[in-house]
Amino acid sequence: MTGIKPVHVTSIDFSAFGDPVFLVGCADGSIRLHSTTTEYPIMEWNGSTNGEPIISVQWALTRPAVFFVLDAASCLYIWDLLANDFQPVIKEKNQLDEITTMSVFGDPGKQNSFAGISLAKQSGKIEIHYLNKQWSVPNTEEIEKLHDILNQSII
């Protein structure tokens, strides 16, 4: 695979669903999906943050095809690889109080609506946001559909 350049990694998160895959957020704003079974990324997204460095990338704990990205411009992105594997399905810019970090929560063993994301703000405030069922309850056969997407990317 040519064209893969080394870049400063700012965040790594492994899938909680037993797949040997992990997400990597980079200082150049790129996001990479890697497998522990191959040297190169199996998917890569370069333009979603307009070059803003990635602060945090985290898989959803209740949906295997969903992940969250926070960039240095305080934008939060939601990716759903089943809905769109080219770009985030939601982009939310925080204008008032910069988000400094985030943490995703939920119980993978109980796929219910008790899942969400906590956001730490520059002011010292912490916000808790609960996800609606669209982002917290897996679709039927979601893991199999994700495997199909990943297998197509490796080929």
Side-chain angles (χ1 to χ4, degrees):
M1 196 178 234
T2 61
I4 301 294
K5 61 179 169 73
V7 66
H8 179 75
V9 172
T10 57
S11 181
I12 298 175
D13 193 40
F14 279 82
S15 171
F17 290 91
D19 291 313
V21 294
F22 58 98
L23 291 164
V24 174
C26 303
D28 67 355
S30 65
I31 304 160
R32 297 175 178 183
L33 177 63
H34 287 265
S35 170
T36 58
T37 61
T38 182
E39 180 179 356
Y40 298 103
I42 56 177
M43 295 179 91
E44 183 172 2
W45 303 276
N46 291 311
S48 65
T49 67
N50 294 321
E52 288 291 337
I54 304 297
I55 301 297
S56 181
V57 60
Q58 294 183 25
W59 287 103
L61 297 176
T62 57
R63 288 261 333 261
V66 173
F67 63 92
F68 302 86
V69 174
L70 175 65
D71 73 17
S74 203
C75 286
L76 181 65
Y77 306 83
I78 300 177
W79 289 75
D80 182 343
L81 296 177
L82 298 184
N84 188 336
D85 63 354
F86 295 103
Q87 63 187 4
V89 292
I90 292 179
K91 176 184 175 183
E92 188 70 34
K93 173 82 171 134
N94 184 22
Q95 304 275 347
L96 300 175
D97 190 4
E98 183 180 331
I99 302 169
T100 57
T101 192
M102 69 173 183
S103 182
V104 175
F105 62 90
D107 185 346
K110 297 179 185 176
Q111 276 117 20
N112 58 26
S113 59
F114 187 70
I117 185 167
S118 59
L119 304 173
K121 303 287 192 98
Q122 189 172 26
S123 66
K125 294 180 183 177
I126 296 177
E127 292 181 1
I128 305 293
H129 297 270
Y130 292 97
L131 301 174
N132 66 32
K133 289 184 180 187
Q134 176 184 4
W135 308 115
S136 62
V137 178
N139 300 319
T140 306
E141 302 172 355
E142 182 163 346
I143 291 177
E144 291 81 9
K145 291 176 184 175
L146 179 61
H147 286 171
D148 290 344
I149 291 170
L150 296 176
N151 288 334
Q152 290 174 2
S153 297
I154 293 173
I155 295 173

